[in-house]
Amino acid sequence: MSYSKPLVFFGALVLAICIGQFVPIYIKSFVYACSLLIKGLLILVLPFVIFCLMFTSISALGSKALKYIALIIPLICCSNFINTMFSYFLSNISIRSGMLGTLVSNKKMSELAPLFEFNIDSIVSNDVALIGGLLLSLVIGIAKPELTEKVCKYLNRFTDIFFKILTPLMPIFIVGTALKLQHDGILGEICTKYLPILLMFIISAYGTVLLQFYILSNFNVSQTGMYLKNLTPAMVTAFGSMSSAAALPSSIEAAEKNVMNNKNNANIIAPASVNIHLVGDCFFIPMVALSVMTSFGLSFPALYTYSVFAIHFVLAKFSVAAIPGGGVFVMFPIMQDYLHMSSDMLAIVTALYLLFDPIITTCNVSGNGALAIVFDRLTKIFKK
């Protein structure tokens, strides 16, 4: 991931904020319509992309560490699920106590209408794509393992083409979304009220990761500092590129040092977890989504409802796109189906996610550093 791409995305958002009030309404309507069209096409193609990413992710994991797959997948799923549920309880306390306040006022966001509209429906659901990619990768991996590499080659080619087309369109999507929010008088409220969300995220997500390192060091402050020092190059790369994949070489090197130079385990867990074990996403997306929901008058979801959402949220992590904002885009259908969020709510979540993506990605990478130590110690226990 080039460092210039996140700057372009962020620049597009800032540009829309600065000049939005001076743009004629018909231009706003046109750009907003283009933004909705891009979103519709994304949702249409997304199940096929999810299938490809799920298949290649599981296949790559099996080819590199087939004997560890039964450990890695439950470990990552449990970590993501626990962090997602922790975000729920923390948000419940924070919202009910008024610590987070409201992100937006309770008014309808319907002032700016798109100049044109297309009704684009998804052909295949994301659930089917997820399960299909998982099952097919396991079946082919067992029945014809020699075919796996060839299938992955074609699927990777499809996803590469998709992202090459999507990436240049993202500034248009971002500008259209920002112009809509600015015109409806919502963008200013977001920009002035995001600080409590950011502080809550940093305290909870980074605090959780720091506590993990502290426990893994047997409550030794010096050893904790050494773990973090080894991980610093990867965290800096993640912050600058907004991509866990870009920080992977540094993450592998840090994992080798933190697991006592066990290169084999480091080479297995670091690539396996880079795009699917996302601590930052597990805190930030639900935290913002729940706050936006309550701001728009929706009731806070019951524990059972949120648990169903969390399960699908965790499964969707296996298909997160390795692009800025990729962590939130694959969650659109899940947030719509299980949290009943509208397009305007999703627009706010997207805007905040893109704004804080460097901090979120850095948290993801640091969380993967802690997971590498846990994985190394579990493998040693199982060997004994």
Side-chain angles (χ1 to χ4, degrees):
M1 175 63 65
S2 169
Y3 288 100
S4 62
K5 290 179 182 177
L7 294 177
V8 171
F9 296 161
F10 184 74
L13 182 62
V14 173
L15 180 65
I17 294 173
C18 295
I19 70 171
Q21 58 182 327
F22 305 108
V23 178
I25 187 170
Y26 66 89
I27 295 181
K28 289 182 182 180
S29 297
F30 175 75
V31 178
Y32 178 50
C34 292
S35 178
L36 292 179
L37 177 60
I38 293 171
K39 177 191 170 186
L41 294 174
L42 175 64
I43 293 177
L44 176 66
V45 183
L46 199 56
F48 302 99
V49 177
I50 289 174
F51 173 85
C52 295
L53 292 173
M54 171 66 84
F55 185 95
T56 54
S57 175
I58 299 299
S59 298
L61 186 61
S63 62
K64 292 181 179 179
L66 188 57
K67 63 181 179 180
Y68 294 124
I69 192 170
L71 173 62
I72 293 176
I73 293 181
L75 181 64
I76 291 176
C77 287
C78 286
S79 177
N80 284 338
F81 184 78
I82 291 172
N83 290 325
T84 304
M85 294 304 299
F86 183 41
S87 177
Y88 169 82
F89 291 113
L90 186 63
S91 297
N92 194 7
I93 296 172
S94 302
I95 292 174
R96 293 184 186 280
S97 63
M99 293 171 60
L100 293 183
T102 56
L103 287 180
V104 294
S105 60
N106 246 343
K107 73 173 192 175
K108 291 186 178 181
M109 296 173 57
S110 57
E111 296 179 17
L112 181 65
L115 193 62
F116 56 86
E117 286 188 84
F118 291 98
N119 294 321
I120 303 176
D121 297 324
S122 179
I123 300 175
V124 181
S125 69
N126 289 293
D127 292 348
V128 173
L130 277 169
I131 297 173
L134 173 63
L135 295 179
L136 192 60
S137 64
L138 295 176
V139 169
I140 294 180
I142 295 173
K144 288 192 174 183
E146 68 281 358
L147 186 61
T148 300
E149 186 175 350
K150 185 180 294 186
V151 174
C152 287
K153 181 180 178 180
Y154 287 106
L155 295 181
N156 282 327
R157 187 177 301 173
F158 170 77
T159 54
D160 287 343
I161 294 173
F162 173 77
F163 291 135
K164 285 179 180 178
I165 295 174
L166 175 66
T167 302
L169 297 176
M170 287 310 303
I172 301 175
F173 173 80
I174 295 168
V175 170
T177 299
L179 288 176
K180 161 68 174 174
L181 298 178
Q182 180 276 328
H183 183 85
D184 294 340
I186 301 300
L187 194 57
E189 294 185 58
I190 295 176
C191 294
T192 56
K193 296 179 180 180
Y194 72 81
L195 188 58
I197 288 286
L198 177 61
L199 292 177
M200 185 63 66
F201 166 71
I202 291 176
I203 292 172
S204 58
Y206 281 87
T208 298
V209 173
L210 187 61
L211 179 62
Q212 290 175 355
F213 277 114
Y214 185 57
I215 295 174
L216 291 170
S217 66
N218 294 322
F219 307 100
N220 187 309
V221 176
S222 177
Q223 184 62 43
T224 302
M226 185 61 65
Y227 284 152
L228 296 175
K229 180 182 177 181
N230 293 335
L231 200 58
T232 298
M235 294 171 67
V236 171
T237 303
F239 185 88
S241 64
M242 297 201 311
S243 170
S244 299
L248 181 57
S250 299
S251 297
I252 294 175
E253 184 178 352
E256 289 182 16
K257 295 178 181 178
N258 287 339
V259 299
M260 303 301 180
N261 295 318
N262 190 332
K263 188 174 182 179
N264 182 54
N265 281 351
N267 286 335
I268 291 173
I269 189 60
S273 62
V274 63
N275 281 330
I276 58 179
H277 180 246
L278 306 174
V279 176
D281 286 41
C282 291
F283 277 92
F284 188 84
I285 295 177
M287 192 176 294
V288 173
L290 293 172
S291 184
V292 169
M293 286 173 55
T294 54
S295 295
F296 275 82
L298 294 180
S299 60
F300 198 86
L303 180 59
Y304 172 78
T305 301
Y306 184 85
S307 298
V308 176
F309 160 79
I311 292 172
H312 287 83
F313 186 88
V314 169
L315 290 175
K317 289 299 172 190
F318 287 91
S319 56
V320 168
I323 60 171
V328 71
F329 293 137
V330 297
M331 301 302 168
F332 281 176
I334 297 174
M335 289 189 284
Q336 285 179 323
D337 293 343
Y338 299 100
L339 297 182
H340 309 293
M341 298 184 70
S342 66
S343 296
D344 293 324
M345 297 180 195
L346 295 177
I348 295 177
V349 176
T350 303
L352 288 172
Y353 187 97
L354 291 169
L355 191 62
F356 298 140
D357 204 357
I359 302 174
I360 298 170
T361 306
T362 304
C363 184
N364 291 337
V365 168
S366 61
N368 290 343
L371 185 73
I373 302 174
V374 174
F375 173 75
D376 179 69
R377 294 185 180 178
L378 287 176
T379 56
K380 291 176 180 177
I381 293 174
F382 287 139
K383 284 181 180 179
K384 290 182 181 180

